[in-house]
């Protein structure tokens, strides 16, 4: 069954009129016509170029929540009350879409409010992500990002800031980004002795799954495990995370054990991969 999800921005218009900023329908992402309002303050500039920039910031936030970026946009529509206002916006639009080259339409029409000088609507389609940036966790900001992903994926084992700092001193922690958008994180626990097992755990935020990001994270982690001399690699997945279990099986991991920790209810699954087989 195709999964449909609505994304809300907090705009009062969405509540009053009854629509969503964007709708995710499987791999298809439909972003509503978006104007230059700053939704945090519900204010709008008088300048059309500044409105265009704010339109794109609003759209970018919706795309990120949908698990994609401007690189996934395949169709864009520009709606303006005044034809002469379009050309001054071209440099702003080209910065976002110049390399993407989506299909585009510009229409001259009235908008809902006289203060609105441009409205932009986009349609995106999520596919494999080619440019995933993986960076070792350094500094408090990256530690907070790593903790955010970890706690979203495994809420029964949510970590405090101090616990994350302690892990950073013993393990290799990395974050994954698409552009500047945080999409996942990983942990590599080194072997306790030469030739023993290392642990590699990759986590991808739900909206970014099935786009090749997990494969990239795991590949990077496995490379580090080999460098550390590990013969086998272990991973651990919350049993309720069916996506994670399917992904681990597809990489060649086999189930070793299922268990529930004392005093807890959540079931965990340990899996193992022989490094020399890959």
């Amino acid at each position: 069954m195709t999964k449909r999800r609505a994304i809300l921005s907090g705009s009062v218009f969405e509540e009053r009129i009854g629509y969503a900023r964007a709708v995710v329908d499987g791999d298809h992402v439909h972003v509503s016509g978006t104007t230059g309002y700053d939704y945090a303050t519900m204010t709008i500039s008088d300048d059309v170029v500044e409105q265009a920039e704010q339109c794109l910031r609003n759209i970018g936030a919706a795309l990120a929540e949908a698990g994609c970026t401007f690189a996934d946009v395949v169709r864009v529509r520009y709606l303006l009350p005044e034809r002469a206002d379009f050309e001054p916006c071209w440099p702003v639009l080209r910065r976002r879409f110049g390399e993407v080259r989506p299909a585009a339409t510009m229409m001259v029409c009235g908008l809902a409010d006289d203060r609105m000088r441009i409205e932009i609507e986009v349609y995106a389609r999520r596919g494999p992500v080619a440019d995933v940036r993986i960076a070792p966790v350094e500094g408090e900001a990256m530690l907070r990002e790593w903790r955010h992903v970890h706690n979203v994926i495994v809420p029964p084992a949510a970590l405090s800031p101090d616990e994350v700092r302690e892990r950073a001193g013993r393990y290799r922690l990395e974050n994954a980004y698409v552009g500047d958008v945080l999409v996942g994180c990983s942990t590599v626990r080194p072997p306790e002795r030469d030739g023993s097992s290392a642990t590699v755990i990759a986590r991808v935020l739900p909206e970014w799954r099935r786009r090749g990001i997990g494969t990239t994270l795991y590949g990077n982690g496995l490379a580090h495990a080999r460098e550390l001399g590990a013969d086998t690699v272990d991973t651990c997945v919350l049993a309720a995370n069916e996506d994670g279990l399917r992904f681990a099986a597809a990489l060649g991991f086999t189930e070793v054990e299922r268990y529930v920790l004392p005093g807890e209810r959540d079931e965990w699954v340990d899996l193992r991969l022989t490094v020399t087989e890959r």
Side-chain angles (χ1 to χ4, degrees), residues 9 21 27 38 48 53 62 80 90 99 152 155 183 222 270-272:
S9 69
R21 177 58 44 205
D27 287 331
D38 180 338
V48 68
E53 291 173 338
L80 297 94
W90 289 357
E99 295 184 3
V152 166
V183 299
L222 290 173
D270 285 347
L271 304 103
R272 179 162 292 173

Side-chain angles (χ1 to χ4, degrees), residues 191-203:
E192 294 182 0
R193 61 186 185 278
D194 290 344
S196 64
S197 183
T199 298
V200 178
I201 302 175
R203 309 171 191 88

Side-chain angles (χ1 to χ4, degrees), residues 105-232:
T105 301
M106 181 272 192
M107 299 177 63
V108 176
C109 60
L111 300 180
D113 187 312
D114 289 341
R115 291 171 293 178
M116 300 173 179
R117 299 180 64 182
I118 185 169
E119 183 170 321
I120 303 175
E121 172 189 343
V122 306
Y123 163 64
R125 192 169 191 278
R126 300 188 297 187
V129 176
D131 299 321
V132 180
R133 177 170 58 89
I134 300 176
V137 170
E138 298 177 350
E140 286 297 313
M142 293 185 73
L143 283 169
R144 285 194 297 270
E145 291 178 326
W146 188 96
R147 176 174 177 257
H148 168 73
V149 177
H150 177 279
N151 290 355
V152 166
I153 304 303
V154 284
L159 298 174
S160 70
D162 286 341
E163 289 173 320
V164 173
R165 294 187 194 100
E166 189 273 335
R167 289 196 179 195
R170 295 188 292 126
Y171 305 147
R172 182 181 181 90
L173 307 184
E174 295 183 323
N175 289 339
Y177 305 88
V178 174
D180 294 326
V181 178
L182 177 71
V183 299
C185 75
S186 65
T187 302
V188 178
R189 300 175 188 168
E192 294 182 0
R193 61 186 185 278
D194 290 344
S196 64
S197 183
T199 298
V200 178
I201 302 175
R203 309 171 191 88
V204 178
L205 291 171
E207 62 270 23
W208 287 92
R209 291 175 182 167
R210 300 184 182 89
R211 303 194 65 188
I213 296 167
T215 301
T216 302
L217 267 172
Y218 254 122
N220 191 69
L222 290 173
H224 286 302
R226 291 189 185 96
E227 291 173 2
L228 295 170
D231 291 333
T232 58

Side-chain angles (χ1 to χ4, degrees), residues 55-73:
C55 285
L56 294 173
R57 283 192 289 271
N58 295 339
I59 290 169
L63 289 173
E65 191 171 344
C68 55
T69 68
F70 282 100
D72 298 301
V73 173

Side-chain angles (χ1 to χ4, degrees), residues 85-96:
D85 279 346
F86 190 41
E87 188 169 349
C89 298
W90 289 357
V92 173
L93 306 177
R94 187 168 57 247
R95 283 198 294 273
R96 289 293 189 185

